[in-house]
Amino acid sequence: MKPAPALAEGFPDLSGMRIAREPHWFRWISAALIVLVLAAIVRAFANGQIEWSYVSRFLTVKVILEGIVNTMVMAVLAMMLGIFLGIVVAIMRLSPNPVLKSVAAGYTWLFRGTPLILQLLLWFNLALVFPTIGIPGLWSARAVDVMTPFLAALLGLGINQGAYTSEVMRAGMLSVDIGQYEAAQAIGMGRLRALRRIVLPQAMRVVIPPLGNEFIGMVKATSLASVIQYPELLHNAENIYYANSRVIELLIVAGLWYLLVVSILTPLQMLLERRFARGTLRLAR
Amino acid sequence: MTKPLVAIRSVSKSFGEFQALRGVSLDVWPGEVMCLIGASGSGKTTLLRCINQLAMIDAGGIWLDGELLGVREHGGKLHRLSEREIGRQRLKTGMVFQRFNLFPHKTALENITEGPTQVQGRKLDEVRAEALELLRRVGLAAKADSYPAQLSGGQQQRVAIARALAMKPMLMLFDEPTSALDPELVGEVLAVMKELARSGMTMMVVTHELGFAREVADRVVYMDQGAIVEQGRASDVLGAPREERTKAFLSAVI
C-alpha cells in the first residue's frame, strides 16, 4: 500500500479551540420590553373594576362544576358522533359509486356552509316544522318533548363536526400509499375490510393532530349551545351573573375552566399519538 | 393430459390511450417457473396484475385452475363478478410487489397472519405456528416481532414472500421483486425464490435479473409493446435469441 500523501502547510490546528458565546443583545432588550408591557397589563387588570374575590369564590361553585361536566359530556359525545359520521362520509366520498360520492359531498357542503349557531337553532326549533315526529303506526311523540336542549346540541354539534372531520379523515386515507390497498387486495381482502384493518389504522397516525385540534375547538364550540338553553359552562356562568351582575368575574371563571381543560387535553393527545405510531421508526428504536 | 394452471387468451388492456397489452396468449403449466423480461412499459407487470385482478382486462380471457377470472358467462354475455368472488379467486394467487408493501403498523408475524385469520377466518394459534415456520423458511425466524421499518429491504421482501405463501396459493406472482433493493441485498431474496422454485411452486417472475432467469426459469418470455415477442428455454432466449428486438434488448441490458 502507498503511504498517504503529505498534507499542505498553512492550515493551523484548531482542535483545542471552542466557539465563543454570542452576547445576544437584542434578545435581552426585547425580553425586558415585553416583561414591562405584560406587567403594565397585569397591573391594569389588578386595579380595574374586577372583584377577584368573586372569581375565586365562584370558581368551584356547584353550578359552575355542573356546567363544566355538561360541557365535557357534550364535547365528547358530539365529537364521537362527528368522528363516526366523518369516517362514514369519507369512505362514501372515496367510493367509486357516484350516488354515495355526491351525497357525501352534499353533506359536507351543507353543514360546512352554514353557521354552527344557525344549525343549533334549527335543531332546537324543529318542532316548528314537525309538531309530531315518529315512525308511522309504531311510535310518535311531540317534537318539543323529544328535541331537548341536550339532543339539539348533540345533533347540531355532532353533525356539523362530521362535515369537518370527514375532510380530515379523507386526507388521512389519501395519505396511505396505494400499494397498501393493493397488498390488502392481493391477500383477498375486500374494500371495507382493507379500509378497516389496513388503511384506517395507518390514517389515524396522520389524522390525530388535526383531530386533537378539532376536539379543542369542539370543547369551546359547546358554549354556543348556551343559546338553546343547554346547561353547559358558559350558560351557567351567565345565569349566575344575570342574578348578581358580576359579569366580568364570571366570564373569567368560565375562561379559566376552558383554559384548564384545553391544557389537560394537549398531553392526552400526545399519548394517543404514541399509540398509533406503532411501527414507525421514531418509536421502534 | 395435464392442463395449464394459467391459460391466457387474447388478453388486451389499455390505460386511456396507452395500450399495455395487445392480444396476449400464454399458458403456464403446473410447477413451471416462468420469467417475464422486457423494457419498462412492455406490459409484463400489467400481465401479472391482470392475473390477480389488480387490473381488469378489457378483452380476452384468463383462466386460473380452469376457472374464468373476473367475469361469468351468462346468456351470451359476460357479467362482472362481485368483489367477494374476485376476492375468493385472488386467494389462488400470491403477489409479491416491487415495493414490498408490508403493513407498516403490524409486525412481521402479524403481516403474515393477517390474511389467514382475517380473510380465511382461521384460528390464530394454528396460523401463528405456520407463520413462524414460514419465517424460518425465509431465514427470518428471529425477526417475528420486528416492525417493517426495523427490517432491511431484503428482509422486508422476504417477509412479503412469506405473507403471500401463508395464503397457500397455487401460483406465485413476483413483480420485479429485487428492483427496489440495494445490490448487496438482492441475493438473499433470490435465494428464497430459488428454494421456492425447487419446492415445485408455479411461479411467474417479472425480473431484470437475467442470471436468476438463466439459472431457475423453465421458460423465459420476452415482451415488447404489449405483446410476446419470443419465448422458450432460458438458454435459447437469453443465449441465442432469434428475434432482432430480443437481441437489441439483451445487448442493452447486459
Side-chain angles (χ1 to χ4, degrees):
Chain A
M1 217 171 85
K2 267 192 278 180
L7 296 174
E9 298 286 331
F11 300 94
D13 181 15
L14 299 180
S15 55
M17 292 188 201
R18 281 252 188 103
I19 293 173
R21 266 196 142 179
E22 287 175 62
H24 292 306
W25 296 116
F26 185 71
R27 287 188 198 173
W28 287 105
I29 295 167
S30 54
L33 280 175
I34 286 165
V35 167
L36 274 178
V37 171
L38 285 178
I41 292 172
V42 168
R43 187 167 165 275
F45 272 89
N47 296 339
Q49 303 280 324
I50 301 173
E51 287 288 342
W52 288 98
S53 62
Y54 276 90
V55 174
S56 58
R57 173 135 56 99
F58 281 99
L59 198 57
T60 52
V61 92
K62 186 159 171 275
V63 182
I64 292 294
L65 294 181
E66 281 171 4
I68 189 70
V69 168
N70 285 338
T71 289
M72 289 317 293
V73 166
M74 180 54 66
V76 169
L77 290 179
M79 197 67 199
M80 279 163 57
L81 178 61
I83 290 175
F84 171 76
L85 287 174
I87 291 174
V88 171
V89 170
I91 291 173
M92 285 166 67
R93 194 95 193 250
L94 295 174
S95 127
N97 181 333
V99 178
L100 292 183
K101 229 182 199 163
S102 33
V103 167
Y107 164 81
T108 310
W109 170 77
L110 184 63
F111 287 93
R112 244 181 9 176
T114 51
L116 177 53
I117 194 160
L118 183 145
Q119 292 171 33
L120 286 167
L121 288 167
L122 274 178
W123 285 110
F124 190 55
N125 291 304
L126 204 65
L128 299 176
V129 192
F130 311 106
T132 59
I133 51 179
I135 308 156
L138 282 175
W139 168 84
S140 76
R142 292 197 312 152
V144 269
D145 299 332
V146 176
M147 198 50 77
T148 56
F150 174 83
L151 188 61
L154 178 61
L155 290 176
L157 291 166
I159 293 174
N160 181 270
Q161 186 60 48
Y164 286 92
T165 307
S166 71
E167 286 297 279
V168 173
M169 288 293 172
R170 191 163 69 97
M173 290 185 209
L174 289 176
S175 77
V176 177
D177 187 73
I178 185 80
Q180 293 288 313
Y181 289 91
E182 293 188 342
Q185 283 184 338
I187 58 170
M189 286 192 180
R191 218 177 77 84
L192 284 179
R193 194 194 297 273
L195 276 172
R196 188 167 58 80
R197 297 282 309 176
I198 305 302
V199 176
L200 277 177
Q202 294 181 56
M204 287 313 282
R205 198 170 63 82
V206 183
V207 151
I208 283 174
L211 274 192
N213 228 2
E214 297 277 309
F215 185 60
I216 285 170
M218 171 63 85
V219 169
K220 292 174 296 174
T222 53
S223 63
L224 289 176
S226 61
V227 300
I228 57 168
Q229 313 304 319
Y230 178 68
E232 49 71 54
L233 180 56
L234 184 63
H235 181 261
N236 289 5
E238 283 176 335
N239 276 349
I240 297 175
Y241 73 60
Y242 289 147
N244 69 3
S245 301
R246 291 291 168 188
V247 177
I248 296 297
E249 288 81 355
L250 278 145
L251 289 179
I252 289 175
V253 165
L256 288 174
W257 273 109
Y258 284 118
L259 268 178
L260 179 72
V261 167
V262 170
S263 312
I264 293 172
L265 287 175
T266 312
L268 280 182
Q269 180 187 329
M270 279 169 65
L271 284 179
L272 210 60
E273 277 180 36
R274 284 226 188 138
R275 170 79 180 75
F276 282 100
R278 258 182 316 172
T280 55
L281 260 186
R282 201 156 43 90
L283 202 82
R285 286 277 154 81
Chain B
M1 204 185 91
T2 57
K3 282 190 172 173
L5 183 60
V6 187
I8 299 166
R9 294 292 178 272
S10 312
V11 164
S12 294
K13 171 71 185 174
S14 298
F15 298 101
E17 291 289 290
F18 177 71
Q19 233 193 323
L21 293 175
R22 303 164 194 259
V24 171
S25 295
L26 187 67
D27 284 333
V28 185
W29 300 89
E32 185 175 18
V33 176
M34 174 185 284
C35 281
L36 299 154
I37 60 171
S40 65
S42 60
K44 53 201 194 311
T45 291
T46 303
L47 188 61
L48 282 201
R49 293 169 62 85
C50 287
I51 293 171
N52 84 338
Q53 305 188 59
L54 288 175
M56 295 294 170
I57 60 176
D58 299 333
I62 303 176
W63 285 260
L64 175 63
D65 189 28
E67 187 184 11
L68 183 58
L69 293 182
V71 289
R72 174 184 295 119
E73 198 191 328
H74 184 75
K77 277 189 176 172
L78 294 175
H79 301 270
R80 274 209 197 291
L81 296 181
S82 70
E83 196 190 21
R84 175 181 293 270
E85 287 167 301
I86 288 173
R88 182 182 57 73
Q89 291 185 334
R90 280 204 186 102
L91 294 182
K92 292 183 181 176
T93 59
M95 180 88 171
V96 175
F97 298 89
Q98 183 178 358
R99 305 279 319 277
F100 330 137
N101 295 346
L102 288 183
F103 306 133
H105 59 305
K106 294 182 181 296
T107 62
L109 188 71
E110 288 168 348
N111 264 279
I112 301 172
T113 56
E114 179 71 11
T117 55
Q118 288 295 315
V119 179
Q120 295 173 328
R122 295 172 55 202
K123 288 230 171 60
L124 182 59
D125 294 345
E126 70 180 61
V127 173
R128 225 183 108 83
E130 285 179 15
L132 286 169
E133 170 57 25
L134 282 169
L135 276 175
R136 199 194 53 71
R137 191 169 161 193
V138 300
L140 291 172
K143 298 289 186 183
D145 295 323
S146 299
Y147 284 97
Q150 294 167 303
L151 301 174
S152 73
Q155 291 170 332
Q156 287 191 51
Q157 192 62 297
R158 286 187 278 155
V159 173
I161 293 171
R163 176 175 70 179
L165 289 174
M167 306 302 286
K168 302 191 171 127
M170 316 171 81
L171 170 72
M172 283 287 284
L173 305 170
F174 292 85
D175 181 15
E176 304 196 25
T178 57
S179 299
L181 295 176
D182 292 337
E184 78 273 19
L185 303 176
V186 168
E188 60 188 67
V189 173
L190 292 182
V192 167
M193 292 169 62
K194 282 177 201 165
E195 188 272 324
L196 193 59
R198 274 194 296 274
S199 76
M201 175 62 77
T202 312
M203 295 163 61
M204 292 178 78
V205 185
V206 171
T207 190
H208 297 297
E209 296 290 335
L210 299 185
F212 173 82
R214 202 172 280 120
E215 187 180 344
V216 182
D218 299 306
R219 184 157 37 138
V220 170
V221 174
Y222 170 68
M223 290 182 71
D224 188 34
Q225 293 178 11
I228 294 171
V229 175
E230 183 167 352
Q231 57 175 305
R233 289 209 319 246
S235 53
D236 294 341
V237 175
L238 299 176
R242 281 163 308 175
E243 299 289 330
E244 285 306 317
R245 279 190 283 174
T246 318
K247 286 177 194 165
F249 172 75
L250 289 174
S251 63
V253 171
I254 297 167

